[in-house]
Amino acid sequence: FNEFGLTGCLTVYNSKLDNTQFEVSAGVCEDSLNIVKSQGNINSILVNEATADAVDIDFSNIKIATLQINNAGNDCLDVSNGKYIIEKATLTFCGDKGFSVGESSTFNTSKLFLETADIGISSKDFSRVKILEASLKKTTTCTEVKQKKQEFGGAYLNINELNCNGNNVVDKNSIFVRGNT
């Protein structure tokens, strides 16, 4: 954390983004790229070799055309309290989760390719996640849908086409649907 409580090597705060591109390499912060209270369109994000989370976005309304992350020590993408759309994501070697979506977020993705993560997609705490196509390789848990924090409730995850050989974990307060997005 810096003196403002920010955790990103590169932090975008309270900004309007228009056809923006980000490239971050060898981030040694809690978040290599941290976007907070921002809105707009991002053409591409490329993160290589993140020590912890590669990309963390909070309290934002963001559309991303292309997301590419290679080697994150923790989550490849962690979002909360916002509305997020990603057209195409390619994630390789995520230390914990590929997508971590929490705290009342709405999250939509057209195409996700992920190789190597403990958990491929996590929808938590009143979040609503819809994915058209997901191909997940080398994941112990393909998906988890759950209530994590007591001040929230369960979550929702809908994947139209899922190609993954791991487990799908759903708690009693949550809903997981395959097909019909």
Side-chain angles (χ1 to χ4, degrees):
F1 288 91
N2 67 13
E3 65 269 20
F4 304 107
L6 301 173
T7 59
C9 290
L10 173 59
T11 299
V12 176
Y13 179 79
N14 200 23
S15 298
K16 182 160 176 103
L17 304 168
D18 185 24
N19 297 318
T20 309
Q21 296 181 26
F22 293 100
E23 185 172 339
V24 181
S25 294
V28 294
C29 306
E30 184 177 324
D31 309 311
S32 287
L33 173 61
N34 188 209
I35 300 173
V36 182
K37 293 185 179 178
S38 297
Q39 61 182 343
N41 298 307
I42 299 172
N43 284 341
S44 66
I45 296 176
L46 171 60
V47 178
N48 289 304
E49 305 295 333
T51 299
D53 287 354
V55 179
D56 190 315
I57 309 175
D58 304 300
F59 307 104
S60 297
N61 184 347
I62 300 290
K63 181 176 182 181
I64 301 167
T66 304
L67 174 68
Q68 184 175 347
I69 298 171
N70 305 303
N71 292 321
N74 197 38
D75 298 339
C76 277
L77 177 69
D78 185 352
V79 300
S80 65
N81 284 310
K83 185 175 182 180
Y84 307 100
I85 298 171
I86 298 176
E87 293 300 321
K88 182 180 178 185
T90 304
L91 315 174
T92 55
F93 300 103
C94 306
D96 188 15
K97 297 174 188 75
F99 284 162
S100 178
V101 183
E103 300 178 2
S104 300
S105 291
T106 301
F107 184 89
N108 295 306
T109 299
S110 295
K111 292 186 180 195
L112 165 62
F113 173 79
L114 171 104
E115 184 171 338
T116 311
D118 289 336
I119 299 168
I121 303 159
S122 178
S123 180
K124 307 177 293 271
D125 300 331
F126 286 147
S127 291
R128 297 188 58 78
V129 176
K130 291 185 180 182
I131 300 173
L132 290 179
E133 295 177 39
S135 177
L136 313 176
K137 297 180 180 179
K138 299 180 185 175
T139 58
T140 305
T141 301
C142 297
T143 64
E144 73 173 4
V145 192
K146 68 180 189 176
Q147 176 182 351
K148 181 178 178 183
K149 299 178 180 176
Q150 69 180 13
E151 64 269 28
F152 293 95
Y156 175 83
L157 174 60
N158 184 322
I159 302 178
N160 190 45
E161 188 176 318
L162 175 61
N163 180 6
C164 184
N165 292 324
N167 299 320
N168 295 298
V169 179
V170 183
D171 75 9
K172 64 180 180 169
N173 299 318
S174 302
I175 298 170
F176 175 52
V177 177
R178 284 179 84 159
N180 297 325
T181 60

